[in-house]
Amino acid sequence: MAASRTNLRLVFQRREKITSLPLYYAGVLWKKSTRDKDFQRYWSEVRGSSIFFYCDENEVVYTEKLDLQKFVSIGDDNSRDKSSQVVNFRLQLANEEVKLKAEDLETREEWKGYISVVSQLKVPSNLSLLPGQMLRLNEVAEQEKERQSTSPVRPESESYLVQKPDPAMYDNMLSTMPACFYKISRNEAESMLERHPENGSLIIRPSTENTNYSVTTLTTQNSKGVIKHYRVTCEDSEFIIWLEYPVTCRTLQDVVDHFIKVTNGDLKPYLESNVYDKNIGQSIKAQMKSVPMSRVAPIQRSLVPPSDHPEVPAMMQKSCKSQPKLPLKQDLLKPAEGSSRSSAMKESEPSYMNNKGKGDTNELMMKLMKRRAKLAEDQ
């Protein structure tokens, strides 16, 4: 029994951190909105100017919430079912009507009293309650007046507060961006989600007017992909998701976490890590293909006259003819006989591709020998 009370105390502390709102009243309620077919049972709490609904008494995170700042009226349910009129009542808000069911007549009057007090900041005069219960309602009215007057958050937005990170469990994320934030346009976000659904289904991006943010999601309905966009504004260092019931978060990462939580993990942040890995691998392979498998040294053709190196093939010596090397004076003065070059000079000259015939070659050789002999005699 003691362990159970300890657990409930921890649950209460955790809820207080999540909502950052004081608890005024709690108990079991059955709720049926215009979107529900039947009544659903919840453990319910009046905190600040909101009603938070939990799946059971031990649940830490609320499932649904009603914003009582939109309060219009509250009254008994005029249902035709006579057996249920004593516990049913209706709550009319600015945007919808909600049917509620209490455990008995007394708790129904208490619920009506607390809902009226936190929304109108005064105690209704038409309640069937005991003096002690009415005194408690007056105390709550004063507490809520003081809270709203000293709260740093505007009364119209404080009821939208959602779970805030516990400093003991989470890092401060105010100055960081989620991994799924991209500086892209609306059309680019749609294209990314449709082309690569395996990377994720949620993207945060700058809004079209580039003054706030937008959340783009891809969901599947009737086997077809459906793109949706949600507006997110930054006000007073907080981010508001403009849903049917606006939700306020401390950071953009909290915005992502909210979408993941309410869809039970169906939405996942869009991450491009797989695409980058694939591109890097492909670029490396492309570079490897362009590298030659072997290298061949360039052929360097000799610029010396063909007569100096008769062993060089004629094809390599052809280029020397277009750029002949003039003989030095001391080379021409050396005797033709008995020198190291005389044997090379006596050998036949290599043939060229444009030679006409062997006779022409012999005639040229004779003329060359006569010129060299004449030069030697003059010296």
Side-chain angles (χ1 to χ4, degrees), residues 24 117-118 120-123 138-151 155:
Y24 297 136
V117 164
V118 298
Q120 297 181 309
L121 301 179
K122 64 180 181 179
V123 180
N138 280 286
E139 294 176 352
V140 170
E142 295 300 322
Q143 292 176 12
E144 184 62 14
K145 286 180 182 179
E146 182 179 359
R147 186 194 70 83
Q148 292 189 12
S149 63
T150 59
S151 176

Side-chain angles (χ1 to χ4, degrees), residues 155-166:
E156 63 268 23
S157 64
E158 63 85 28
S159 57
Y160 305 143
L161 290 174
V162 296
Q163 180 176 359
K164 296 182 178 181
D166 188 347

